[in-house]
Amino acid sequence: MKKITIAIDGHSSCGKSTMAKDLAREIGYVYIDSGAMYRAVTYFCLQHGLFTKDGVKKDELQAAMPNINISFHLNAEGRPETFLDGKCIEKEIRGMEVSSRVSLIATIGFVREAMVAMQQSMGKEKGIVMDGRDIGTTVFPNAELKIFVTASAEVRAQRRYDELKAKGETASYESILENVKERDRIDSGRAISPLRKADDAILLDNSAMTIPEQKAWLMEKFEETVNCNSPKYQ
Ligand code: DC
């Protein structure tokens, strides 16, 4: 069967990575978390003292870009982990230090250009599921299957709150809700490649869906796409 490209975009904390990862595992495709790449660049900046009090040393970062070597490897449980220069940084890029700075890094044009080029090269053989904010609009505008996932800010904040609680971390629901809304504002409002639904993406509002329901929904869309006779899918 011919392999296709699957682009999954959407708001933060709406469960798109879980869906994307599950689908990729099930159908034997490569999964790439493009947000992890922006997080890796942010971690690089922290490691090299490139953040200033109110921004980032752009000239130094631009000069360093060709040497930022990001890769993904499966761990013993078959889950993909992010590496920077051969070192696993999966845990570091999920912490608050990176999370609170990554939106700024993701607004920088030369960073986006480098990430998009890397993402396109990872997808040139197809057989890939990539999730992010601009995958269906900028990275793979010709992807055969595009999904745009959303859920209400309140539902997303509650999911994030439950996740943190399960990990034994404490944060107030109100502060998480504020953070979710702020990230939406930054992601949708930035000048370059803002978060937006591609015209040909299928909208999924999963506010009232369970994870197994989302998984089944996505599998159905995949099967419909690969079984479609349109020349776009051949
Ligand atoms: O999906 P995430 O929360 O790990 O993404 C981290 C940040 O990177 C977030 O601010 C959105 C941004 N991002 C982006 O601008 N483009 C992408 N393709 C993926 C993520």
Side-chain angles (χ1 to χ4, degrees), residues 7 26 83 86 92 107 120 126 133 150 169 179-181 203 205 226 230 234:
E26 196 121 331
F83 282 66
E92 290 82 347
T107 62
Q120 288 173 335
K126 296 190 175 247
R133 305 294 190 286
T150 190
E169 293 172 35
N179 180 261
V180 163
K181 289 182 176 169
L203 180 69
D205 182 334
V226 290
S230 152
Q234 301 306 298

Side-chain angles (χ1 to χ4, degrees), residues 34-35 38-39 102-103 106 112 132-135 183 187 190:
S34 69
Y38 291 93
R39 288 174 181 269
V102 63
S103 296
R112 299 205 71 86
R133 305 294 190 286
D134 61 342
I135 310 305
R183 286 172 68 184
D187 287 349
R190 68 167 172 246

Side-chain angles (χ1 to χ4, degrees), residues 94-227:
R94 307 295 165 188
M96 271 320 285
E97 255 199 315
V98 168
S99 296
S100 61
R101 292 173 174 88
V102 63
S103 296
L104 169 68
I105 294 299
T107 62
I108 303 173
F110 63 78
V111 172
R112 299 205 71 86
E113 269 170 38
M115 295 302 106
V116 169
M118 236 184 265
Q119 290 153 6
Q120 288 173 335
S121 116
M122 288 168 172
K124 64 179 185 300
E125 307 292 338
K126 296 190 175 247
I128 192 166
V129 183
M130 192 175 290
D131 75 13
R133 305 294 190 286
D134 61 342
I135 310 305
T137 53
T138 305
V139 181
F140 299 129
N142 297 322
E144 290 85 351
L145 177 59
K146 298 182 187 178
I147 310 288
F148 189 89
V149 194
T150 190
S152 73
E154 288 72 18
V155 165
R156 288 183 282 137
Q158 186 65 49
R159 287 177 185 160
R160 187 98 192 89
Y161 175 80
D162 293 342
E163 222 174 79
L164 288 173
K165 215 167 121 187
K167 280 194 215 160
E169 293 172 35
T170 47
S172 78
Y173 168 79
E174 284 71 25
S175 68
I176 295 174
L177 179 60
E178 265 321 296
N179 180 261
V180 163
K181 289 182 176 169
E182 174 67 1
R183 286 172 68 184
D184 286 355
R185 195 185 59 74
I186 298 175
D187 287 349
S188 305
R190 68 167 172 246
I192 311 165
S193 298
L195 170 66
R196 82 172 173 80
K197 178 185 163 302
D199 294 338
D200 53 349
I202 307 167
L203 180 69
L204 172 68
D205 182 334
N206 66 13
S207 301
M209 284 170 96
T210 63
I211 291 176
E213 282 168 349
Q214 292 169 53
K215 202 173 154 177
W217 181 92
L218 186 57
M219 180 55 81
E220 198 181 298
K221 296 297 160 209
F222 168 71
E223 280 166 357
E224 279 170 19
T225 307
V226 290
N227 293 328

Side-chain angles (χ1 to χ4, degrees), residues 15-61:
K16 54 185 186 307
S17 306
T18 307
M19 290 174 74
K21 229 177 280 179
D22 281 354
L23 177 71
R25 195 179 313 120
E26 196 121 331
I27 63 179
Y29 276 27
V30 171
Y31 164 69
I32 299 290
D33 171 358
S34 69
M37 298 171 69
Y38 291 93
R39 288 174 181 269
V41 175
T42 307
Y43 179 71
F44 177 94
C45 292
L46 281 165
Q47 290 287 293
H48 292 80
L50 299 187
F51 284 107
T52 61
K53 207 153 58 65
D54 39 30
V56 60
K57 296 176 188 167
K58 283 195 184 166
D59 291 345
E60 286 180 40
L61 175 57

